[in-house]
């Protein structure tokens, strides 16, 4: 475990004690009092639990507390007691598995910290958790294992919001800048809801495969659609994305096999060095997610995820970005089921932007991609500012015998067979050279579709898909669908207001299919606007994107 140092914390953190935080339970305060530097649990203060007075106790090596002058005390949390996770021993050496982290402290993650099977981690509103620096196997991350639970809710009993913040060391609440990425790992939630790879248990990306607590899925395919990870809402996750190896990264928020009884809503991923959010299978439904400034994809989907989602915002940086959404279906094999039948309604996707060059990464090539049997459907969504990319929409089309493709999930031969749908969406500034579609040489849907090669659909696929988009009330716009966008600094977004205006300020029809797996957040909320924002800014105040004035 890293050595503990005493530092003076000022500014925003020093206010934490005075914002109505509820004191942590007496048991955890007792455990937190174990400071290996200068005090013990009781008695002689040597930190080994063998004090010369009172009952014998065991040192809680997973919690190491340092008193901070002028600010909240710091607790370094590690996995030093191998296999214990976040539990601790009370004064009578009983294992306490239901643990509360309080806003009276700053918690610092030292390497991988697990919420083990049978453990529950409760995090109070206003609590700050910092990941210590490290990369690869030395990265820091919070991982809720299969059978573990987390209850992290930034809403107080009186209805006020004091977000829970997961961030890098040194962030005093104002963030470290949109270009500061990869300072620590991230947050990983794991369960036993359905996934489609074979075998039916996998190790999550970014964690060594030797760590069995990082597995998700279910042995022998005995999945639990109604798995419940707990509650994760009003949470801001910042400056994440360390890499274990090529193709194995930790995202801002990673979900593997999370089920539909879980509550995941009002979550911000800010400045990830990989994806903002990545879903590996599962049936979890979400609402009110924000992916800002991710160096790779804003939203990434894999391995047969089946959830329904509403009110998503993705906003991309100019220095580094991938696809606004990378939607994969199967992996090994690509043809396995369940198919990835995700539904997304009322999203606002803001890409790299017009006139931007030199972006690192995939750079919106393409802006949206469906592949490997993925059948994600979009409804009442705003797609905009992908002008840098050669094309906007790609639905993978392969020759027969070369593997599964997503055109088979779209199916142009029968409406009943179609599970990949794009209905009632608005498109603005998407494609290589977007021209007002009302002009004689204006952009058409044929212009923004990218074919993948020698697929069975042939060149006719472009025209058939474009006709389908028009028939399903997709619109290419002549004006921006959001209230304002300031890109006056070489294309960089200085400020934007995502509230719906013009054609977006209207009541869209309900999705043709939504909430089919049931569970928490499976209901479609009828609204009078397209995209993620109407007259109310639900991201105001609790997100870093709002606090720093970028989102108006």
């Amino acid at each position: 475990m890293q050595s503990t140092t005493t530092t003076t914390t000022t500014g925003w953190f020093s206010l934490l004690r005075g914002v109505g935080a509820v004191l942590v339970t007496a048991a955890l305060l007792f455990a937190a009092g174990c400071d290996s530097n200068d005090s013990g649990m009781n008695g002689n203060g040597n930190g080994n639990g063998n004090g010369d007075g009172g009952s014998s106790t065991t040192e809680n090596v997973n919690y190491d507390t340092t008193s901070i002058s002028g600010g909240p005390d710091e607790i370094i949390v590690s996995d030093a007691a191998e296999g214990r996770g976040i539990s601790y021993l009370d004064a009578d050496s009983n294992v306490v598995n239901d643990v509360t982290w309080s806003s009276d402290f700053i918690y610092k993650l030292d390497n991988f910290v697990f919420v083990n099977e049978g453990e529950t981690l409760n995090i109070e509103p206003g609590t700050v958790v910092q990941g210590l620096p490290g990369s690869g196997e030395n990265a820091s991350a919070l991982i809720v294992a299969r059978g573990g639970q987390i209850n992290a809710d930034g809403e107080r009993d009186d209805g006020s919001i004091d977000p829970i913040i997961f961030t890098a060391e040194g962030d005093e609440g104002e963030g470290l800048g949109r270009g500061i990425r990869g300072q620590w790992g991230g947050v990983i939630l794991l369960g036993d809801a359905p996934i489609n790879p074979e075998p039916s248990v996998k190790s999550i990306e970014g964690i060594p495969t030797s760590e069995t607590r990082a597995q998700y899925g279910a042995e022998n395919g005995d999945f639990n659609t109604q798995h419940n990870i707990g509650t994760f809402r009003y949470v801001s996750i910042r400056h994440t994305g360390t890499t274990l190896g090529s193709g194995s990264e930790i995202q801002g928020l990673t979900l593997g096999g999370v089920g539909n009884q879980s509550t995941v809503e009002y979550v911000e991923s800010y400045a990830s060095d990989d994806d903002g959010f990545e879903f590996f299978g599962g049936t979890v439904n979400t609402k009110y997610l924000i992916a800002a400034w991710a160096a790779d994809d804003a939203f990434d989907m894999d391995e047969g995820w089946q959830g329904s989602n509403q009110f998503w915002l993705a906003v991309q940086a100019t220095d580094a970005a991938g696809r606004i959404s990378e939607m994969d279906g199967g992996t090994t094999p690509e043809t396995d089921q369940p198919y990835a039948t995700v539904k997304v309604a009322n999203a606002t996707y803001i890409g790299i932007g017009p006139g931007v060059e030199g972006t690192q990464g995939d750079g919106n090539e393409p802006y949206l991609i469906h592949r490997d049997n993925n059948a994600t459907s979009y409804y009442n969504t705003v797609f905009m500012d992908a002008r840098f990319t050669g094309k906007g929409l790609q639905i993978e089309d392969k020759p027969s015998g070369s593997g599964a493709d997503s055109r088979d999930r779209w199916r142009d031969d029968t409406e009943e067979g179609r599970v990949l749908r794009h209905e009632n969406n608005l498109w603005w500034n998407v494609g290589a050279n977007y021209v007002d579609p009302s002009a004689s040489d204006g952009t058409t849907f044929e212009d923004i579709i990218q074919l993948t090669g020698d697929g069975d659909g042939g060149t006719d696929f472009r025209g058939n898909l474009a006709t389908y988009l028009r028939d399903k009330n997709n619109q290419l716009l002549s004006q921006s669908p959001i209230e304002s966008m300031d890109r006056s600094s070489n294309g960089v977004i200085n400020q934007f207001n995502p509230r719906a205006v013009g054609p977006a300020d209207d009541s869209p029809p309900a999705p043709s299919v939504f909430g089919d797996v049931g569970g928490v957040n499976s209901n479609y909320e009828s609204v009078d606007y397209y995209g993620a924002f109407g007259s109310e800014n639900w991201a105001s105040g609790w997100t870093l994107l709002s606090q720093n004035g970028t989102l108006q």
Side-chain angles (χ1 to χ4, degrees):
M1 185 169 65
Q2 298 182 14
S3 61
T4 305
T5 58
T6 300
T7 57
T8 300
T9 305
T10 60
W12 185 84
F13 281 149
S14 66
L15 301 177
L16 284 174
R17 290 181 176 177
V19 293
V22 180
L23 288 176
V24 73
T25 62
L28 182 55
L29 283 171
F30 192 86
C34 173
D35 185 340
S36 63
N37 284 343
D38 50 26
S39 68
M41 293 286 286
N42 61 49
N44 61 21
N46 61 13
N48 62 13
N50 296 319
D52 52 15
S55 61
S56 176
T57 61
T58 302
E59 182 185 5
N60 283 281
V61 294
N62 283 14
Y63 291 91
D64 191 358
T65 308
T66 298
S67 297
I68 304 298
S69 174
D73 291 347
E74 296 177 349
I75 300 178
I76 292 183
V77 188
S78 72
D79 201 38
E82 187 174 352
R84 190 185 292 168
I86 50 96
S87 67
Y88 64 92
L89 301 182
D90 66 14
D92 297 318
S93 296
N94 298 312
V95 177
V96 178
N97 288 325
D98 196 316
V99 177
T100 296
W101 289 1
S102 162
S103 59
D104 288 342
F105 301 93
I106 297 169
Y107 296 85
K108 296 195 172 187
L109 306 177
D110 187 0
N111 206 252
F112 302 134
V113 173
F114 286 86
V115 180
N116 286 343
E117 180 180 4
E119 295 180 343
T120 298
L121 175 60
N122 309 291
I123 305 181
E124 294 181 346
T127 301
V128 175
V129 181
Q130 297 179 344
L132 294 176
S135 60
E137 296 186 6
N138 295 315
S140 56
L142 180 68
I143 305 151
V144 183
R146 287 186 299 173
Q149 280 203 321
I150 185 169
N151 294 307
D153 191 341
E155 183 173 7
R156 297 191 179 280
D157 291 341
D158 63 3
S160 62
I161 307 302
D162 194 0
I164 295 163
I165 297 174
F166 290 89
T167 189
E169 189 177 36
D171 178 6
E172 296 192 4
E174 299 178 352
L176 303 177
R178 69 177 68 174
I180 306 301
R181 307 179 177 99
Q183 301 301 294
W184 66 292
V187 179
I188 300 173
L189 309 179
L190 303 175
D192 59 356
I195 61 175
N196 64 17
E198 297 178 9
S200 57
V201 174
K202 288 197 65 178
S203 293
I204 199 67
E205 279 191 1
I207 308 298
T209 56
S210 59
E211 177 52 82
T212 58
R213 290 177 294 174
Q215 293 178 341
Y216 61 102
E219 286 77 7
N220 303 313
D222 188 19
F223 297 115
N224 177 17
T225 299
Q226 297 184 327
H227 162 262
N228 182 7
I229 199 71
T231 298
F232 201 77
R233 64 193 301 266
Y234 289 111
V235 177
S236 179
I237 308 171
R238 309 170 180 177
H239 312 298
T240 57
T242 54
T243 300
L244 179 65
S246 178
S248 183
E249 308 91 0
I250 302 177
Q251 334 300 326
L253 179 62
T254 304
L255 302 96
V258 176
N260 67 12
Q261 294 304 304
S262 308
T263 300
V264 179
E265 59 184 12
Y266 297 101
V267 182
E268 174 190 45
S269 174
Y270 189 98
S272 168
D273 205 33
D274 197 61
D275 304 324
F277 296 84
E278 186 160 13
F279 299 82
F280 294 90
T283 55
V284 63
N285 309 296
T286 75
K287 286 187 177 179
Y288 305 106
L289 303 188
I290 296 178
W293 324 130
D296 196 12
D297 310 314
F299 293 97
D300 197 340
M301 312 169 192
D302 304 272
E303 298 181 356
W305 180 33
Q306 302 171 72
S308 292
N309 312 274
Q310 195 173 10
F311 310 120
W312 281 6
L313 172 65
V315 56
Q316 291 185 297
T318 56
D319 64 322
R323 284 84 183 238
I324 201 90
S325 187
E326 183 175 279
M327 296 161 284
D328 296 310
T331 50
T332 52
E334 293 179 355
T335 56
D336 221 345
Q337 297 189 35
Y339 293 135
T341 53
V342 181
K343 284 81 179 174
V344 181
N346 292 96
T348 296
Y349 282 178
I350 302 173
I352 294 169
V356 174
E357 298 181 358
T359 302
Q360 296 180 8
D362 290 325
N364 284 178
E365 289 287 354
Y367 177 70
L368 287 169
I369 184 170
H370 301 261
R371 63 188 182 190
D372 303 339
N373 251 337
N374 177 276
T376 296
S377 296
Y378 282 95
Y379 308 97
N380 310 334
T381 286
V382 167
F383 299 116
M384 62 177 289
D385 275 7
R387 196 172 183 176
F388 169 78
T389 186
K391 299 293 180 181
L393 172 63
Q394 181 183 99
I395 298 177
E396 185 181 56
D397 180 23
K398 290 182 177 181
S400 297
S402 61
D405 64 28
S406 289
R407 189 185 71 86
D408 288 339
R409 307 280 69 77
W410 173 70
R411 295 284 297 277
D412 58 2
D413 58 342
T414 167
E415 182 66 24
E416 290 75 20
R418 180 175 296 125
V419 289
L420 191 165
R421 304 168 185 267
H422 277 259
E423 300 176 3
N424 307 299
N425 300 314
L426 306 180
W427 304 72
W428 160 254
N429 245 2
V430 176
N433 296 288
Y434 193 85
V435 177
D436 186 339
S438 65
S440 58
D441 60 346
T443 295
T444 67
F445 280 113
E446 285 85 352
D447 294 327
I448 70 170
I449 293 169
Q450 182 176 13
L451 301 181
T452 53
D454 301 327
D456 290 342
T459 56
D460 290 342
F461 180 36
R462 186 193 305 275
N464 293 338
L465 179 56
T467 298
Y468 162 81
L469 293 173
R470 286 186 284 264
D471 289 347
K472 293 300 179 180
N473 300 314
N474 288 266
Q475 301 176 55
L476 293 164
L477 302 182
S478 299
Q479 65 181 84
S480 173
I482 68 172
E483 188 165 308
S484 65
M485 172 68 71
D486 177 4
R487 289 187 179 269
S488 58
S489 303
N490 298 316
V492 174
I493 297 176
N494 298 314
Q495 294 180 341
F496 72 103
N497 185 330
R499 294 176 179 85
V501 296
D505 188 18
D506 198 2
S507 298
S512 57
V513 182
F514 195 88
D516 48 322
V517 297
V520 176
N521 279 333
S522 62
N523 63 302
Y524 171 75
E525 183 178 338
S526 182
V527 294
D528 58 358
Y529 53 88
Y530 293 76
F533 294 86
S535 59
E536 179 184 357
N537 181 359
W538 48 263
S540 179
W542 66 272
T543 64
L544 182 56
L545 198 63
S546 165
Q547 292 169 4
N548 63 23
T550 306
L551 190 154
Q552 297 292 297

